[in-house]
Amino acid sequence: MSPSILAPSETEQHQQVSAQLLHWIDQFKDAASQGKCADYIPALGKMNPHQLGVTVIGTDGTMITAGDCEAPFTLQSISKVLSLVAVCMEYGIPHVLQRVDAEPTGDAFNSIIRLEMSKPGRPYNPMINAGAITVSSMLAGDSVTQKMDSLNKLFIQLIGTAPVLNEEVFQSEWNTAHRNRALAYYLKDIGFLDGDVESALEVYLKQCALEVTTKDTALIGLILALDGYHPIRQEQVLPKDVARFTKSLMLTCGMYNASGKFAAFVGVPTKSGVSGGILSAVPPRYRSRDLPFADGCGIGIFSPSIDEVGNSVAGSLLLKEMAQQWDLSIF
Ligand code: DON
């Protein structure tokens, strides 16, 4: 198959993979009842919790999908990966590290506690809300529109298009974002938020409300897996150091206070969002050459029912099964 197009694969191994994914979807979709949709954002509470879809894209551009792979969902915290990449490309990693650290917290994603406990209060990492709001305030541009444009430019590099903003989800979260607003004002007070507070919050909540499908997140995962190389466009679209820095933060902080166990039992750099999206970057592997996707892949999963930590219940089970059966762990 030509590597320049994304198309469903026809080979025998890929047909087996496809059947396998369908089987696992069947096996795990009922697990959604163990969690619930993120109704602290009222619009997300209205999602159908029983959706489960997956896309896997290999380095040759072959794409294997199953279930609700084309159901649109908002990026939520997965957007933290993109905003981090954008500011690192704009200012370089050392400058970004002066504004937000790269240490896991073990706290909830929206926790406020460490900002006051450590001095000067630099947010611990860009995958928790505090760090992500700081990062959003750093995006290139002087206005909300310009900052969103700079993020959209990155999306165009990666997936060829700028995602649509889900206005309903944005408004719903904007109206109820009391904790994020508190975080943003506190960050301003201690000198870790650039510019106007409400504008930074607007950028952060708008990036969270950008709408994608698992096909988009799988492609972003694939590019990260390949250290910034876009195998379809055959072009280095992200600097290697930025891709690696981002993946290390996904692995250590991407699943919040479940990141340790996720590294131990799944072992793949991954970022989740409260709308039930999961993005994974699976690097090439030199053992298990006979198993699927030995050259690496990107995985996008969506299932909106989440656990108490904020990770998709059925989606996490599906990813864990894929990682174990296909030996995807980087360890
Ligand atoms: O700021 C929030 O609370 C949401 N917009 C995003 C949080 C999120 O996705 C955490 N993920 N698991």
Side-chain angles (χ1 to χ4, degrees):
M1 195 191 88
S2 157
S4 61
I5 42 167
L6 287 173
S9 168
E10 300 291 324
T11 70
E12 199 181 315
Q13 189 192 40
H14 287 145
Q15 277 171 7
Q16 282 168 12
V17 167
S18 183
Q20 182 100 77
L21 287 174
L22 276 173
H23 172 72
W24 288 333
I25 283 192
D26 224 41
Q27 183 179 341
F28 296 123
K29 70 170 186 282
D30 292 343
S33 57
Q34 293 161 28
K36 67 178 179 101
C37 293
D39 54 9
Y40 79 95
I41 302 173
L44 295 187
K46 293 195 277 183
M47 287 190 296
N48 166 9
H50 300 291
Q51 300 171 88
L52 175 58
V54 58
T55 296
V56 190
I57 306 179
T59 53
D60 61 355
T62 53
M63 181 171 66
I64 303 185
T65 60
D68 299 300
C69 62
E70 290 197 88
F73 61 93
T74 52
L75 276 170
Q76 299 304 331
S77 283
I78 296 176
S79 69
K80 293 167 179 164
V81 169
L82 285 307
S83 52
L84 175 65
V85 167
V87 297
C88 287
M89 285 174 77
E90 186 70 22
Y91 306 105
I93 296 169
H95 177 81
V96 174
L97 279 173
Q98 287 173 13
R99 308 291 290 152
V100 54
D101 208 345
E103 294 300 336
T105 65
D107 300 328
F109 64 82
N110 55 5
S111 176
I112 204 159
I113 191 162
R114 275 171 209 267
L115 289 180
E116 209 184 10
M117 278 171 59
S118 67
K119 296 289 174 229
R122 177 172 52 151
Y124 266 59
N125 70 71
M127 300 294 152
I128 51 170
N129 290 10
I133 295 169
T134 295
V135 166
S136 299
S137 81
M138 294 171 69
L139 283 165
D142 296 325
S143 64
V144 172
T145 310
Q146 284 177 6
K147 286 179 190 292
M148 291 308 290
D149 280 351
S150 70
L151 204 53
N152 279 333
K153 252 191 252 155
L154 175 63
F155 277 107
I156 292 167
Q157 289 275 311
L158 298 173
I159 60 172
T161 156
V164 170
L165 176 76
N166 183 321
E167 279 289 349
E168 187 197 350
V169 171
F170 166 67
Q171 277 303 333
S172 172
E173 189 168 15
W174 177 257
N175 296 338
T176 54
H178 312 301
R179 184 180 275 257
N180 279 331
R181 197 164 260 114
L183 274 171
Y185 277 95
Y186 189 76
L187 286 165
K188 184 72 189 176
D189 186 62
I190 58 175
F192 284 98
L193 189 138
D194 297 350
D196 170 59
V197 182
E198 290 292 319
S199 302
L201 191 67
E202 187 176 338
V203 173
Y204 168 70
L205 296 181
K206 282 190 165 160
Q207 71 179 57
C208 286
L210 294 174
E211 207 159 61
V212 294
T213 71
T214 61
K215 292 182 175 176
D216 302 314
T217 48
L219 182 53
I220 297 168
L222 175 63
I223 296 164
L224 286 170
L226 297 179
D227 288 343
Y229 182 75
H230 196 313
I232 322 292
R233 286 175 46 186
Q234 303 190 333
E235 195 186 331
Q236 189 77 27
V237 288
L238 309 179
K240 183 172 167 178
D241 63 339
V242 172
R244 290 197 170 175
F245 179 59
T246 304
K247 279 186 284 185
S248 70
L249 282 159
M250 288 164 67
L251 186 83
T252 53
C253 316
M255 304 299 275
Y256 305 107
N257 31 337
S259 297
K261 280 190 281 298
F262 209 80
F265 301 113
V266 179
V268 176
T270 296
K271 183 76 202 82
S272 67
V274 284
S275 58
I278 296 179
L279 178 160
S280 297
V282 183
R285 298 177 319 285
Y286 302 100
R287 51 180 205 278
S288 343
R289 295 298 303 172
D290 51 327
L291 291 173
F293 302 108
D295 291 327
C297 64
I299 301 176
I301 293 178
F302 167 59
S303 182
S305 172
I306 58 170
D307 60 20
E308 66 287 350
V309 173
N311 298 323
S312 169
V313 178
S316 301
L317 288 171
L318 173 61
L319 182 59
K320 186 174 172 193
E321 189 72 15
M322 290 166 76
Q324 288 180 348
Q325 297 293 334
W326 296 345
D327 200 19
L328 303 183
S329 171
I330 62 172
F331 296 106

